Amino acid sequence: METLLLKTEQKKRKSLNYVLNVCLLISLLIFSFLNTITLMISLLLLTFLLTKKELGALIIIIFIMVRTIINPGVAIDISSVQTFKYLILLLSSFSIIYLSLQKKNNYNNFPIYSLTIFYVYIVISSLLISGFPIVSIFKITLFYIVFLAILIGIKTTSKEIDWKEKIFQVLFFLILISIPLIISPLGYLRNGVSFQGITNQPNMFGIIVAFYVAFNLVRSNNEKDLSYSKSAHSLIGLLLIYVTFSRTALITVLTCILIYYFLNFTKNYKSIILGFGLFFPIILIIGFTKKSQEIFINYIYKSNYDSILYSRSIQLKTLLDDFIESPLIGKGFGVPSVEGSNRSWNFGFEYIVEAGNIVFGLLAFSGILGLSLFIFLILRIIYISNNSLKLLPLLVVTFMLNMGEMMFFSPNNIGVLCYLSLAIYAYDT
């Protein structure tokens, strides 16, 4: 009896500590909104979390990701302390890698070799052909370090922490504080039409909602609540994505929902019945109401009936031209392509290329060789997954979103969410 009481007391203390820690992090996040000084102080205070080892470092990385995507109408832009942000991000990532080396962990079942080979190839090709070699090397190095750190961190802590639930809670928090902005001009700050919520642009909010739905689908919540919880969250996600006008996010979420229900048909037929009960009427309305069809077609085509890819046509043409010019090794990773005589060894944060599609982007940046090495890396992650079917929505959401919003190689931004999803997909127990 005493042992049972002791365990209950310990559980209560643990829950209380968790709530207090969450409140402190939220307070720190809000404090960072005020001005550059409070932002710097917030990032400095975050470093104390490194005493919590891998867990603390992962929390810092997630905090920086969240702070980076906040609506500039709500908070000061984190780009005002860009260099400092990079330093904290690298410090946190290196601490995870250092702790792993200290423990001499044996990572036989780990994609470190395939990730390193991809990294080394990009570095060498950048030195040879990139228009801005130093910028290219910096970008791929930051990606390599942060991705590696997240893989190690999730693998190390996955037995103690339910990361599926924790990431879902972060995304749910962002959505919860976004909903009131539906009636505010701040929620449409970017273009006055598409809803961006608490994030810095509508497509970003669409990405957040898509990951929110995917993580909800793979959560290990109570079996009795499975049907109601997952279906309700999915429906909320679809409604929110609609007001962002993000086609990529909408198609991704619909695909994840269909995959989830298909995979769980034999396990929980009630979930399927409820799912169809919620979504089938929506499908009927769209399919058999003329006005609804017009709205749906306008949504998909963004009112430009000449081409569904009109908004991406210039990007795709540029990428295709670069690939045709150098199909084997590409024209340089993540930077504008220039002729050999115009190559610059300068460094700056302003050299940005929005590829829009991960396949076309990798072909243009690193050629057929680079894309092949990247595919090998992803296949390696799939191979080592403990629950490849159960967690399939995490894999689907990551790569479907990157087909329309290439963010995978943005470790200082929302790319972190891709790395967390793949790490959880690989190592969740």
Side-chain angles (χ1 to χ4, degrees), residues 413-427:
N413 204 302
I414 199 67
V416 166
L417 202 46
C418 296
Y419 314 151
L420 288 165
S421 297
L422 289 180
I424 293 167
Y425 176 82
Y427 299 117

Side-chain angles (χ1 to χ4, degrees), residues 95-297:
S95 69
I96 294 174
I97 296 169
Y98 174 76
L99 286 168
S100 177
L101 292 172
Q102 287 290 100
K103 294 175 183 177
K104 297 179 180 178
N105 291 324
N106 182 17
Y107 290 125
N108 289 327
N109 195 22
F110 195 77
I112 188 167
Y113 297 115
S114 49
L115 177 59
T116 303
I117 290 169
F118 175 73
Y119 166 68
V120 171
Y121 166 76
I122 297 296
V123 169
I124 293 171
S125 63
S126 294
L127 288 171
L128 293 174
I129 47 87
S130 177
F132 302 90
I134 301 300
V135 180
S136 287
I137 292 170
F138 173 77
K139 286 186 175 185
I140 195 63
T141 300
L142 189 66
F143 158 75
Y144 175 72
I145 292 168
V146 175
F147 191 19
L148 180 61
I150 288 174
L151 285 169
I152 294 172
I154 295 295
K155 180 176 173 60
T156 305
T157 59
S158 61
K159 290 182 180 178
E160 295 80 35
I161 305 293
D162 183 358
W163 282 108
K164 300 188 301 299
E165 186 64 30
K166 301 306 177 192
I167 301 302
F168 171 79
Q169 290 171 3
V170 171
L171 298 172
F172 182 69
F173 167 73
L174 289 173
I175 286 168
L176 201 61
I177 60 177
S178 291
I179 290 174
L181 295 178
I182 289 176
I183 58 173
S184 168
L186 286 175
Y188 307 85
L189 191 65
R190 183 80 176 199
N191 58 25
V193 178
S194 306
F195 184 63
Q196 65 188 74
I198 197 69
T199 69
N200 53 15
Q201 59 168 302
N203 287 341
M204 183 66 73
F205 189 65
I207 289 167
I208 292 296
V209 176
F211 273 107
Y212 153 75
V213 172
F215 270 97
N216 172 64
L217 292 174
V218 300
R219 286 163 69 212
S220 302
N221 53 353
N222 190 290
E223 195 69 26
K224 291 180 181 178
D225 300 328
L226 189 67
S227 305
Y228 304 101
S229 172
K230 294 189 187 300
S231 297
H233 282 291
S234 298
L235 186 58
I236 291 169
L238 283 172
L239 293 172
L240 287 172
I241 282 175
Y242 177 76
V243 293
T244 68
F245 295 100
S246 173
R247 296 173 299 184
T248 304
L250 177 65
I251 294 168
T252 300
V253 165
L254 288 172
T255 304
C256 286
I257 291 170
L258 287 172
I259 287 172
Y260 170 78
Y261 284 130
F262 177 76
L263 292 176
N264 288 274
F265 181 79
T266 54
K267 297 177 185 176
N268 194 341
Y269 67 90
K270 290 181 182 179
S271 176
I272 304 299
I273 295 170
L274 180 62
F276 276 107
L278 283 172
F279 298 117
F280 192 64
I282 298 173
I283 296 169
L284 283 177
I285 291 170
I286 294 173
F288 294 98
T289 308
K290 189 175 180 180
K291 185 64 178 175
S292 299
Q293 288 176 0
E294 289 176 6
I295 293 171
F296 184 73
I297 290 169

Side-chain angles (χ1 to χ4, degrees), residues 79-94:
S79 62
S80 59
V81 293
Q82 189 84 314
T83 303
F84 191 64
K85 182 186 86 168
Y86 279 119
L87 289 173
I88 301 293
L89 187 60
L90 285 168
L91 177 65
S92 304
S93 300
F94 274 124

